[in-house]
Amino acid sequence: LMHLTRKLIEIRSMLLSIDQSDALKLPSIVVIGSQSSGKSSVLEAIVGHEFLPKGNNMVTRRPIELTLIHTPPKDGKIPAEYGEFPGLGLGKMKDFTDIQRTLTELNLAVPSSEAVSNDPIDLRIYSPNVPDLTLIDLPGYVQISSLDQPETLKEKIASLCEKYIREPNIILAVCAADVDLANSPALRASRKVDPLGLRTIGVITKMDLVPPEQGAGILSGNRYPLHLGYVGVVAKSHGKRSSNDTTVVAKRGENDYFGAHREIFGSQTSLMVGTDTLRRRLMEVLESSMASSLHGITNAVQLELEEATYQFKVQYNDRRISPESYVAETMDSLKLRFKDFTQQFRRPIIRAKLKAMLEDKVMDVLEQLYWLDKRAPELGALGSDPKLKPEDIEPYWRHKLEAASSLLTKSGVGRDSTLLVADGLRSLIDSIATGEPFNFHPRAAERLTEFSHMILRDRIGVTSDQVENCIKPFKYDVEVEPREWEAGRERAVQLFENEVAMCEQKLQEIKKKVGGARRLNGLVGYLKSIEEKQKERKLAADGEQVEEQPVESYRYPPAQLSDARYAMMYTDRIGILKLRLMALKSKRCRAGPQSEAFCPEAFLNVVADKLAYTSAMFINIELLDQFFYQFPREIDSRLLYDLDRKEIVEFARENPVVRRHLDLQERKDKLEEVMKQLNSLSTLRADPQPAPRRH
Ligand code: GDP
């Protein structure tokens, strides 16, 4: 039957990793007692080693889940004893003072403001000298609040103990023989949850400190009966601490003591004394408690398993996933999505984008150089005014055109066009990094943006230099073919028509805003009259500086005057645009590149077109191709291959959908495993041949 306890201890720790709900709990022995009652001494006596933290202060600050695993001799060899902290990955500890030190450190790591923590320490001890047992050591009850212990400590410890002494756990209530049992906080706590003492074992320590008759009286349990009885021990060494292991000496002391008082403790066979008896008693009690829990726990696990299986089917159609597969899929779909996105960066699209940017520049150049030019009306009147001879005015306008063309070609096209495309790439990456599933993976998203921006940074300088270099010829001379001319002229007409429409729309909006055309006319008339007056004053001042007077009016609010000023600007612009449209549509402009001096709009448009074409070509080679080549490779090297198993799991679990999936899958697997083990146990139990006892 010992196999049963051992198996069930394994199952118990598996169940603990599934969840902490009471339904899935197998019993463990919980050790409670007040400070200095001898709790640690008892535990160490059971284990046969000194391993618990010592000190004047309260040192047990976290529950210790102590699992004892009996390792039987193999091939006549006695296996070495060792301890292990499964949660810490420190490996096997053969020296029990290392275990003691680790426990002390773990305890001291609890901030003193908290004093106690609910987070248990998992400790396993493998030894041929221990029985299969699970024991939970809890902080000792505080009897007297001292100055350096917070007031709430008492309650904190009490509520922690309360949590652990619930069913189905077995309570080991440690009381010192020299303290009245009526004052034992351990017994008092256990009586609250187990009034009949059905699952409480009393341990009376320090039997050597009271007269043997009195000790025997306590053990008989007449005053405070416990169904499972009391065991008396002497857990402290009597001799000097000469031996390297005090527990050995302690044991000798115990044997000496009970041996010396055999007439009292030996005569009443019902009295249980000694650490060996205590161990045996604990094994029996745990075993029978486990055995009686077996049926219930099997049912509970079966139910949980059915539920988990059902949910797994319904929610995930039995589809299994692994963190690795999720990571791989995520990266693949990232690459795929990126590839889709690159469609937005095909050359014609880039060219159109650059062209639009350059057309804006053309508008700016025109506005700067032509529309404010005092001779601008000449251009419009050419052809209709017989006094205007083209050959007379051509040198002026040719000169102007050269200036305009160079303003355009030298406006930093290399930098601007490269940045335009790079910005496009950047916002593409940002949209990937902030979209699903990367919104769940902030660190990966950060790396993604980081390395993308780095590639871009590396390429931007080279690319813009290269583009600038390649458009250099246009800075000196642009040759225009008749076909190009016609296309440029048509495009200019289209742009101007759009611009006119835009200005008209704005005018309409202003009209509506100020309250109709009449109102706007009033406002404009008012502004014009002010302008007149100011002009007159300037004339009167005869060239001397006159201060501009701010326009103030009691009739019109300033916001409306400012609207009106915009309206005047749009009206002026519409006037110019319309004149230029007429010119662009005129025979002279249609005639071809020879009239370039008089149709700067057509000419500049051709230049813009050529610049866009060349820029797009080199941006494609220097920036886009490079980026598209490097990006997927960087995903592999910086997002994928960098991850170790732990990080892969972390990454996958960052996505809540995946986390839920993995959790359920894991729960189902574990429950299946537990169920398998439980089933194998029932065949074990059905075995008529009882397994040999080891202790
Ligand atoms: P804990 O605070 O409940 O863990 O108590 P300890 O095990 O640290 O024991 C408190 C004190 O009581 C220590 O000084 C022990 O040496 C002493 N002690 C423990 N068990 C016995 C015992 O059976 N007999 C005697 N005389 N002293 C004991």
Side-chain angles (χ1 to χ4, degrees):
L1 258 171
M2 278 321 295
H3 282 299
L4 183 66
T5 311
R6 191 198 187 93
K7 273 262 176 193
L8 283 171
I9 287 174
E10 275 169 30
I11 292 174
R12 179 180 173 273
S13 59
M14 272 171 84
L15 285 172
L16 278 181
S17 75
I18 295 173
D19 63 29
Q20 303 281 336
S21 78
D22 284 345
L24 291 186
K25 262 199 185 129
L26 275 167
S28 172
I29 299 165
V30 180
V31 190
I32 54 171
S34 56
Q35 281 183 356
S36 300
S37 59
K39 211 157 55 66
S40 319
S41 305
V42 170
L43 277 168
E44 289 177 345
I46 292 172
V47 172
H49 282 283
E50 200 180 324
F51 69 98
L52 288 167
K54 297 279 147 64
N56 293 334
N57 269 336
M58 180 217 43
V59 260
T60 302
R61 294 185 176 175
R62 291 169 64 179
I64 302 171
E65 294 240 10
L66 181 63
T67 307
L68 305 182
I69 297 131
H70 175 79
T71 48
K74 228 182 182 175
D75 310 327
K77 265 192 258 166
I78 295 177
E81 297 177 277
Y82 64 92
E84 213 175 45
F85 292 92
L88 302 183
L90 297 172
K92 294 179 181 176
M93 290 181 177
K94 297 219 163 114
D95 187 346
F96 280 72
T97 54
D98 286 341
I99 299 177
Q100 188 172 38
R101 207 186 40 241
T102 308
L103 283 175
T104 308
E105 280 164 12
L106 288 171
N107 269 324
L108 291 178
V110 177
S112 52
S113 58
E114 266 181 50
V116 290
S117 149
N118 285 346
D119 184 24
I121 298 168
D122 200 0
L123 170 61
R124 296 186 189 178
I125 290 174
Y126 298 79
S127 161
N129 307 320
V130 296
D132 290 313
L133 274 183
T134 62
L135 295 154
I136 300 167
D137 183 27
L138 293 170
Y141 287 103
V142 183
Q143 295 287 68
I144 328 131
S145 321
S146 66
L147 279 179
D148 54 346
Q149 286 168 341
E151 229 347 93
T152 52
L153 183 65
K154 221 169 157 169
E155 286 129 56
K156 264 190 151 173
I157 292 174
S159 79
L160 179 62
C161 293
E162 221 164 88
K163 199 182 116 199
Y164 275 94
I165 60 178
R166 286 191 205 135
E167 280 196 274
N169 285 342
I170 297 150
I171 303 165
L172 196 68
V174 179
C175 323
D178 59 344
V179 177
D180 188 356
L181 286 202
N183 292 332
S184 160
L187 282 179
R188 224 178 298 144
S190 92
R191 212 168 298 135
K192 263 197 227 160
V193 291
D194 178 31
L196 298 181
L198 296 178
R199 51 188 183 92
T200 304
I201 305 177
V203 176
I204 307 300
T205 57
K206 310 189 190 180
M207 289 291 284
D208 57 321
L209 293 187
V210 294
E213 297 77 12
Q214 188 186 335
I218 302 173
L219 295 188
S220 65
N222 291 335
R223 270 226 291 164
Y224 304 98
L226 287 177
H227 185 75
L228 296 180
Y230 290 90
V231 183
V233 296
V234 176
K236 194 207 166 194
S237 69
H238 280 266
K240 34 189 192 331
R241 293 186 153 228
S242 54
S243 164
N244 48 8
D245 203 328
T246 50
T247 55
V248 178
V249 185
K251 185 153 180 191
R252 207 177 308 138
E254 180 176 62
N255 288 343
D256 290 350
Y257 180 79
F258 289 118
H261 301 287
R262 197 170 305 144
E263 74 292 352
I264 293 172
F265 297 107
S267 61
Q268 286 173 269
T269 40
S270 60
L271 292 190
M272 294 183 284
V273 291
T275 311
D276 287 338
T277 311
L278 175 62
R279 286 185 180 188
R280 224 173 5 250
R281 188 78 188 119
L282 290 180
M283 282 157 64
E284 282 163 12
V285 170
L286 185 64
E287 187 185 300
S288 74
S289 167
M290 287 247 180
S292 64
S293 304
L294 190 58
H295 185 67
I297 208 83
T298 309
N299 280 345
V301 171
Q302 182 65 42
L303 271 178
E304 291 289 330
L305 176 59
E306 271 164 23
E307 174 64 13
T309 308
Y310 172 76
Q311 291 298 341
F312 195 63
K313 169 88 195 155
V314 174
Q315 292 184 35
Y316 304 110
N317 198 20
D318 286 337
R319 191 171 60 88
R320 297 189 66 85
I321 56 168
S322 69
E324 284 82 3
S325 68
Y326 171 72
V327 171
E329 274 167 32
T330 307
M331 297 308 159
D332 281 349
S333 78
L334 169 62
K335 285 184 204 169
L336 216 69
R337 206 136 55 92
F338 180 72
K339 206 164 181 181
D340 279 350
F341 273 127
T342 59
Q343 292 299 310
Q344 298 171 13
F345 290 87
R346 278 180 305 122
R347 207 157 1 138
I349 300 175
I350 293 298
R351 205 185 304 144
K353 285 222 165 80
L354 294 179
K355 182 72 196 298
M357 178 194 86
L358 285 157
E359 278 165 355
D360 271 352
K361 284 187 187 246
V362 168
M363 270 312 179
D364 289 346
V365 169
L366 287 171
E367 189 162 354
Q368 248 182 70
L369 286 189
Y370 285 88
W371 299 349
L372 300 176
D373 192 300
K374 286 204 178 63
R375 285 179 64 175
E378 260 180 33
L379 280 178
L382 192 66
S384 55
D385 186 345
K387 280 194 297 247
L388 273 181
K389 294 265 182 318
E391 50 277 24
D392 293 343
I393 61 168
E394 183 160 3
Y396 178 79
W397 290 111
R398 179 158 295 282
H399 177 73
K400 195 95 185 172
L401 186 69
E402 267 157 26
S405 177
S406 111
L407 204 59
L408 181 61
T409 53
K410 290 178 185 164
S411 64
V413 175
R415 226 185 86 84
D416 291 353
S417 57
T418 306
L419 286 182
L420 182 81
V421 178
D423 275 348
L425 287 172
R426 231 192 310 257
S427 63
L428 159 74
I429 297 301
D430 289 350
S431 82
I432 291 181
T434 51
E436 267 201 52
F438 280 93
N439 50 341
F440 300 126
H441 309 297
R443 276 169 309 156
E446 199 178 305
R447 279 211 233 175
L448 178 73
T449 12
E450 217 169 76
F451 74 66
S452 315
H453 290 188
M454 201 200 62
I455 308 177
L456 284 177
R457 261 199 309 279
D458 278 356
R459 298 307 308 170
I460 283 176
V462 188
T463 309
S464 64
D465 285 353
Q466 183 69 283
V467 172
E468 202 60 50
N469 232 358
C470 294
I471 61 165
K472 212 170 187 175
F474 302 125
K475 293 179 183 170
Y476 301 101
D477 184 28
V478 181
E479 267 189 48
V480 182
E481 302 279 328
R483 198 176 36 81
E484 292 171 336
W485 173 266
E486 184 51 24
R489 191 191 64 82
E490 272 168 19
R491 180 73 188 139
V493 167
Q494 199 185 338
L495 283 175
F496 275 38
E497 278 170 351
N498 291 349
E499 185 78 9
V500 168
M502 200 264 295
C503 290
E504 274 170 349
Q505 157 113 24
K506 294 261 187 234
L507 261 182
Q508 282 306 322
E509 278 164 20
I510 293 175
K511 233 178 251 174
K512 220 163 128 198
K513 199 167 148 207
V514 297
R518 276 173 65 94
R519 174 77 177 178
L520 184 58
N521 284 341
L523 282 159
V524 170
Y526 174 74
L527 280 176
K528 279 194 175 145
S529 73
I530 300 257
E531 265 173 36
E532 273 314 305
K533 266 186 216 143
Q534 271 176 351
K535 237 186 252 164
E536 274 166 28
R537 284 205 306 136
K538 250 182 217 165
L539 280 180
D542 199 18
E544 271 173 52
Q545 275 290 0
V546 229
E547 245 181 80
E548 291 259 340
Q549 280 190 333
V551 181
E552 269 174 36
S553 164
Y554 55 93
R555 274 170 61 198
Y556 302 111
Q560 291 208 341
L561 285 173
S562 141
D563 284 337
R565 223 172 260 120
Y566 275 108
M568 282 163 73
M569 195 191 79
Y570 288 126
T571 314
D572 286 351
R573 178 174 279 208
I574 291 171
I576 296 168
L577 287 169
K578 284 196 167 155
L579 274 175
R580 291 311 301 152
L581 269 170
M582 251 160 55
L584 277 168
K585 289 174 181 171
S586 72
K587 228 193 249 154
R588 183 179 308 279
C589 271
R590 285 176 193 279
Q594 65 269 29
S595 11
E596 56 189 27
F598 305 116
C599 306
E601 299 85 357
F603 177 79
L604 290 176
N605 208 286
V606 175
V607 177
D609 209 48
K610 287 177 185 278
L611 290 175
Y613 184 87
T614 310
S615 307
M617 189 155 68
F618 285 94
I619 285 174
N620 200 44
I621 298 169
E622 297 291 346
L623 183 66
L624 292 171
D625 281 356
Q626 298 281 344
F627 189 79
F628 294 159
Y629 175 84
Q630 250 175 297
F631 185 77
R633 280 161 185 78
E634 294 288 327
I635 292 176
D636 286 344
S637 70
R638 294 193 193 229
L639 290 187
L640 205 51
Y641 300 148
D642 251 16
L643 302 177
D644 59 25
R645 163 75 195 170
K646 198 169 139 253
E647 287 167 316
I648 287 176
V649 174
E650 264 171 27
F651 179 90
R653 294 183 63 83
E654 281 173 355
N655 186 334
V657 178
V658 176
R659 188 175 57 232
R660 275 194 297 274
H661 194 155
L662 283 172
D663 280 348
L664 184 58
Q665 179 176 303
E666 222 165 81
R667 185 182 165 83
K668 181 174 150 280
D669 290 352
K670 280 186 179 164
L671 285 165
E672 260 165 16
E673 180 56 30
V674 168
M675 206 54 217
K676 219 165 73 193
Q677 303 242 7
L678 285 171
N679 284 335
S680 75
L681 275 188
S682 58
T683 57
L684 201 90
R685 261 158 59 87
D687 193 347
Q689 202 82 36
R693 290 204 152 207
R694 277 200 306 265
H695 290 276

